[in-house]
Amino acid sequence: MMRGHGVSVVGVDHLLVRRLRAQVAERLNEQRRRDSVSGRAPMNGEDERQYARSLIVQVLEDFARTEISEGRPPLSSEDEERVAAAIHAALFGVGRLQPLIEDPEVENIDINGHDRVFVGYSDGREELHHPVADSDEELVELIQVLAANVGLTSRPFDAANPQLDLRLPDGSRLSAVMGVCSRPSVSIRRSRLGKVSLNDLVGTGTMPPDVADFLRAAVRARKNIMIAGATNSGKTTLLRALANEIPPVERLVTVERALELGLDAFADLHPNVVAFEERLPNSEGLGGVSMADLVRRSLRMNPSRVVVGEVLGDEIVTMLNAMSQGNDGSLSTIHANSATEVFNRISTYALQARENLPVEATHMLIAGSINFVVFLRKRNDYQAGGGLARRVESIREVTGIDGRVLSSEVFALGHAGQLAPHAPISCLDDLVDAGYAPLPEGRWG
């Protein structure tokens, strides 16, 4: 009856789906209670999904018998499949968002209340989409279901916990808020490239081939790299591509606020990965595990390298200490509007950390830990007849300290707007040993 994934949920009766989903959820919760009372171990995620599929079949059979007994025609087999897929999506997927999540051309989904849905496409278009719920309350319920079933631990989303960050099953990043705006607001940033390589990014125009060769050698030479850029500029995608250049024999520990990198999903590339996710405190303020705590813990897990998905706070000091104390080859991302702004952004985070490092001390720590800063910029030229593009615009090498961090722009945009070598690389011998073949000195900009 039910093919599961791949069955469209467009055109179904969403009121019927909501009613039948409630029946399936009630039976599923009843089985969970019986398992708990009898002392049986709870079902794992896949077993629970399979059990839910059997419950959906039962509920649909009950619904068909009721329709026939009351003189109404039952659902056709095609409609029944659509309803079944929609119920499963509502329980374990993303409900009426599923068609958008499955659309390979969708880049971003911004929801300002259930009926104000704005969709951004890979060619730069932005369009108003049809509602994804029948009310704001149903939208909040959808997010709550996701928060309970996605990630390593269930996450609350309610008046007491009005903020939520999640990685959806397809790798997309969801951010939701309520109570701090007039209507619940949700933003979803699609993860269109999971198993991505530097060669893939050359193909999309993110960087020229010689820059990919340089970055590949920098990773293999175990240089510490910070990726910078504005929101949605492609930082995480580039981080994945760099991480995929790490030899499979190395043990990786990743640290994230919400699981997003997914390096552990590709055992052929990274068979030995531990993925840490920040844990929020419970309603009594207990049980929380911060990013800084996780970075500290990662150093005790015998890592070859530590990968911090995104630096947003006081974990920066712990991460820089780790980079400067033998954990070479670490990778991370940070929000910034230019490569040089990265150093001031790090200093600001360090001042706010519990270590309360002064700017001078932070700059010394940066100079002793970070080797390269790679800056990305996103451009949308759709209105001018172009499209959406994300490109590396600058690579700076940290070269020392003299009251402030000293750096050299080793790759910069040339007159034609093409990224090209711009200055000598001080650690060039290390990169050459790792396979890098630099352009002749006369090619520098």
Side-chain angles (χ1 to χ4, degrees):
M1 175 184 296
M2 189 174 67
R3 299 192 202 111
H5 304 297
V7 179
S8 173
V9 296
V10 177
V12 302
D13 182 342
H14 294 294
L15 289 177
L16 174 63
V17 170
R18 192 176 185 187
R19 178 158 59 91
L20 298 183
R21 185 199 73 83
Q23 294 178 25
V24 174
E26 183 179 352
R27 297 185 188 188
L28 184 59
N29 287 330
E30 179 58 33
Q31 183 61 47
R32 289 167 177 159
R33 286 191 292 270
R34 286 197 295 267
D35 289 345
S36 177
V37 169
S38 64
R40 285 194 296 266
M43 290 181 283
N44 62 35
E46 183 55 34
D47 288 344
E48 193 163 270
R49 282 167 171 75
Q50 291 295 337
Y51 182 61
R53 287 189 174 93
S54 68
L55 293 178
I56 292 170
V57 172
Q58 294 173 23
V59 166
L60 283 170
E61 289 175 347
D62 292 345
F63 174 73
R65 282 193 290 268
T66 299
E67 293 294 281
I68 293 172
S69 68
E70 295 182 1
R72 293 187 295 269
L75 294 173
S76 68
S77 59
E78 292 80 7
D79 286 342
E80 198 170 75
E81 285 191 23
R82 293 191 184 95
V83 170
I87 294 172
H88 195 270
L91 282 169
F92 299 106
V94 289
R96 286 157 68 175
L97 284 167
Q98 198 73 38
L100 290 175
I101 294 295
E102 293 175 351
D103 187 339
E105 299 304 316
V106 170
E107 284 267 345
N108 299 297
I109 307 165
D110 296 315
I111 306 170
N112 308 329
H114 76 281
D115 57 350
R116 302 292 292 171
V117 182
F118 298 88
V119 179
Y121 293 88
S122 56
D123 62 1
R125 284 178 297 136
E126 291 191 4
E127 297 179 354
L128 182 65
H129 197 264
H130 56 71
V132 295
D134 292 329
S135 66
D136 286 355
E137 291 73 19
E138 185 181 334
L139 174 62
V140 170
E141 181 184 341
L142 167 63
I143 303 305
Q144 289 171 335
V145 169
L146 288 172
N149 290 286
V150 175
L152 298 181
T153 57
S154 175
R155 294 188 171 211
F157 184 59
D158 49 35
N161 302 273
Q163 303 180 81
L164 178 69
D165 289 300
L166 284 177
R167 177 181 181 266
L168 299 180
D170 76 318
S172 299
R173 179 190 299 178
L174 180 147
S175 175
V177 292
M178 62 183 293
V180 295
C181 44
S182 59
R183 306 179 68 183
S185 177
V186 183
S187 289
I188 299 174
R189 290 167 52 191
R190 291 289 314 286
S191 176
R192 299 175 64 244
L193 294 172
K195 194 174 184 178
V196 60
S197 70
L198 289 174
N199 288 338
D200 293 329
L201 298 186
V202 171
T204 61
T206 302
M207 67 186 74
D210 60 315
V211 173
D213 292 341
F214 163 81
L215 291 174
R216 183 176 294 110
V219 171
R220 293 177 179 175
R222 304 189 67 88
K223 300 302 178 183
N224 295 322
I225 301 173
M226 182 74 78
I227 302 167
T231 300
N232 201 22
S233 59
K235 298 186 297 296
T236 301
T237 299
L238 178 55
L239 179 60
R240 286 194 189 103
L242 293 179
N244 288 341
E245 295 294 336
I246 298 172
V249 296
E250 296 193 30
R251 173 175 168 83
L252 307 183
V253 179
T254 66
V255 181
E256 301 177 84
R257 277 179 171 75
L259 292 178
E260 180 184 12
L261 287 172
L263 300 184
D264 54 335
F266 305 108
D268 56 329
L269 294 175
H270 306 293
N272 190 355
V273 180
V274 177
F276 285 164
E277 180 182 50
E278 181 184 45
R279 178 172 170 174
L280 301 176
N282 61 19
S283 57
E284 287 78 34
L286 303 175
V289 183
S290 70
M291 287 281 288
D293 293 335
L294 290 175
V295 174
R296 293 187 190 93
R297 175 58 55 184
S298 71
L299 302 180
R300 302 179 182 179
M301 301 296 292
N302 192 32
S304 298
R305 309 192 195 214
V306 176
V307 179
V308 180
E310 184 176 30
V311 174
L312 287 174
D314 62 355
E315 67 273 9
I316 186 65
V317 176
T318 309
M319 188 189 77
L320 292 177
N321 276 321
M323 286 179 170
S324 64
Q325 294 173 5
N327 287 91
D328 298 331
S330 295
L331 306 170
S332 187
T333 72
I334 192 168
H335 279 80
N337 293 317
S338 70
T340 53
E341 185 192 321
V342 168
F343 310 129
N344 291 332
R345 181 62 59 92
I346 291 175
S347 298
T348 301
Y349 289 155
L351 277 172
Q352 297 167 353
R354 69 183 186 185
E355 290 89 349
N356 192 26
L357 285 188
V359 173
E360 295 81 2
T362 302
H363 282 188
M364 290 181 64
L365 195 53
I366 293 170
S369 57
I370 297 176
N371 297 112
F372 294 104
V373 174
V374 182
F375 178 73
L376 288 145
R377 190 181 301 278
K378 171 187 170 184
R379 294 186 181 276
N380 189 347
D381 297 325
Y382 178 75
Q383 297 299 331
L388 196 62
R390 297 173 175 88
R391 294 190 176 94
V392 176
E393 287 198 350
S394 174
I395 301 177
R396 300 193 77 91
E397 181 184 19
V398 176
T399 56
I401 185 169
D402 184 11
R404 61 183 178 84
V405 176
L406 301 178
S407 65
S408 173
E409 192 170 28
V410 294
F411 284 88
L413 294 180
H415 297 300
Q418 180 81 349
L419 194 68
H422 185 258
I425 303 168
S426 64
C427 65
L428 182 59
D429 289 345
D430 294 340
L431 302 185
V432 170
D433 290 343
Y436 179 53
L439 292 173
E441 190 168 321
R443 291 284 303 278
W444 292 338

